[in-house]
């Protein structure tokens, strides 16, 4: 087989384990043999639509088996897959389609309104709908079924680009991070070393697949090992409990908000979670108090750290260290190097905050058609600037402090919002919290906390201030507290802090005496 990339995986898996279940979605199961045949038929249709090596194929929609089929079919031809955030507006999606030059768009019915609002894009020649195609569009199932099942073997090298993943775009225009097939393969090696993924794995895909962690940290390693991926359309606490019990889920990934909501469910105390071997989180620092909630249930909760640009794993805390080093993001993954440095790029001392740099075969070759951004992110030796602040302890474990851009300076002192948020989370009446810096005439900047109270809890700003008083230095304690029903999030579940910073203070708001 000349395809050394992901496009060869369905054929290889079908040969090794044809009858094993590859995907579960609602009441539908797809074996590896079926996945191979469907991927091949779809690839033949994409080829008829003009897709060749290096061409881009985009997917817009919630989690679905068709996402994986479209991705693998694109890779069969040596094309580049472009997963899009289905929560974005038509102008945002149009920008990504135009920037990537995608020639094919596959979209789900939930995104029909956005798809039909797109302007005319010169490169976009074929539009495929999973359901109810509009005039001029293809129907996914019938189009695929009429494809040719004859095997396709296109030469693809490991260093060829496999994915363009657009960043969240919390500031300015999103950038398209390129990931090669080699980046994805090495990341799979790293996660399989850290988690001990097995061929009997039943993995719950509960985070959005357009997000690098759900795709590369769970679905791809599971497929590579021949396990089963149970795909949730979108995050739902009750459905998560149902699927764990029904399918005997062994492994799942989630962000902090997902695990917090799961543990707050009335079903938490009585649920049968015995099948779960590993819970894994990343994307942002996880409060230790939340990790302990899971560990007290006897569950293995592992935290990792990474970025879209590192495919994504950069560090990982293995199961054996998950209790003793709870709150740590672990040590560098097996096939990567990580440094924490000062602005002059010298190594920090133990416990000294600095920026995280990452180097290795999992690191992006750069940003799509953006040499300036690539040059700014990657320095000599292929080291990637992460923009994240961390400390390293005496055992070499990373502790993520915060994003460089989220830190603020109050009265000459650095304040890291993630530290304040973690302490707020320990309050029994707090479900979620986000802290940002806001201008202040006296101190330059002070903290403003947006707090989501737990259901039924009576929480006041005074209560929160009193709670933080003995736990944090005075300059770290927010001056303003906003009690809110929810927090704005990106499609990957991260809190949109620029949105919070831009919110005006309530009329008459003054600092407490």
């Amino acid at each position: 087989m000349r395809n050394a990339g992901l496009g060869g995986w369905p054929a290889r898996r079908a040969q090794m384990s044809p009858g094993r279940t590859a995907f579960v979605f609602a009441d539908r199961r797809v074996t590896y043999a079926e996945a191979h045949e469907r991927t091949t038929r779809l690839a033949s249709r994409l080829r008829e639509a003009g897709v060749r090596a290096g061409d881009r194929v985009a997917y817009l929609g919630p989690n679905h088996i068709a996402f994986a089929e479209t991705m693998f079919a694109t890779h069969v031809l040596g094309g580049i897959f472009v997963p899009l955030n289905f929560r974005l507006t038509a102008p945002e999606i149009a920008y990504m389609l135009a920037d990537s030059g995608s020639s094919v768009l596959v979209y789900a019915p939930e995104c029909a309104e956005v798809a039909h609002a797109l302007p005319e894009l010169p490169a976009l020649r074929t539009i495929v709908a999973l359901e109810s195609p509009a005039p001029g569009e293809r129907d996914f199932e019938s189009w695929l079924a009429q494809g040719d099942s004859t095997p396709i073997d296109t030469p693809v090298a490991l260093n060829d680009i496999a994915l363009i993943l657009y960043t969240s775009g919390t500031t300015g225009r999103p950038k398209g991070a390129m990931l090669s097939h080699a980046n994805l393969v090495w990341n799979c090696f790293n996660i399989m070393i850290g988690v001990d993924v097995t061929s009997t794995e039943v993995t719950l895909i509960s985070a959005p697949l357009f997000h690098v962690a759900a795709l590369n940290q769970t679905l791809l390693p599971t497929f590579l090992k021949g396990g089963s991926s149970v795909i949730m359309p979108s995050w739902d606490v009750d459905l998560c409990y149902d699927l764990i019990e029904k399918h005997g889920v062994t492994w799942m990934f989630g962000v902090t908000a997902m695990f917090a909501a799961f543990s707050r469910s009335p079903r938490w105390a009585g649920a049968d979670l015995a099948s779960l071997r590993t819970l894994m989180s990343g994307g942002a620092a996880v409060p230790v108090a939340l990790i302990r909630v899971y560990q007290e249930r006897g569950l293995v909760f592992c935290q990792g750290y990474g970025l879209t640009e590192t495919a994504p794993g950069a560090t990982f805390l293995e199961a054996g260290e998950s209790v003793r080093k709870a709150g740590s993001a672990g040590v560098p993954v097996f096939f990567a190097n990580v440094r924490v440095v000062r602005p002059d790029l010298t190594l920090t001392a133990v416990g000294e905050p600095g920026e995280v740099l990452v180097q290795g075969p999992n690191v992006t070759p750069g940003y799509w058609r953006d040499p300036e951004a690539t040059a700014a992110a990657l320095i000599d030796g292929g080291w990637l600037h992460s923009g994240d602040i961390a400390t390293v302890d005496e055992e070499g474990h990373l502790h993520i402090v915060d994003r460089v851009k989220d830190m603020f300076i109050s009265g000459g002192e650095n304040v890291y919002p993630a530290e304040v948020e973690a302490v707020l989370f320990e309050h029994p009446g707090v479900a979620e919290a986000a802290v940002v810096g806001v201008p202040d005439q006296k101190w330059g900047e002070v903290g403003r906390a947006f707090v989501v109270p737990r259901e039924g809890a009576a929480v006041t700003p005074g209560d929160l201030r009193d709670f933080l008083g003995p736990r944090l230095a005075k300059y770290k304690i927010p001056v303003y507290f906003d009690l809110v029903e929810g927090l704005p999030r990106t499609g990957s579940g991260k809190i949109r802090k620029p949105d919070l910073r831009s919110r005006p203070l309530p009329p008459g708001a003054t600092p407490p005496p």
Side-chain angles (χ1 to χ4, degrees), residues 31-44:
T31 66
Y32 279 100
E34 291 167 338
H36 172 42
E37 180 183 348
R38 287 177 58 83
T39 295
T40 302
R41 289 184 184 277
L42 182 56
S44 78

Side-chain angles (χ1 to χ4, degrees), residues 105-113 115-116 126-144:
L105 171 65
V106 179
Y107 76 88
E110 295 87 347
C111 300
E113 184 177 346
H116 297 157
T126 305
I127 299 179
V128 184
L130 295 193
E131 295 179 15
S132 306
E137 297 178 350
R138 307 286 189 176
D139 175 74
F140 184 86
E141 281 299 329
S142 60
W143 195 56
L144 180 153

Side-chain angles (χ1 to χ4, degrees), residues 52 170 215-216 245 408:
R52 298 293 184 268
T170 52
L215 177 58
N216 297 352
E245 294 183 6
F408 62 92

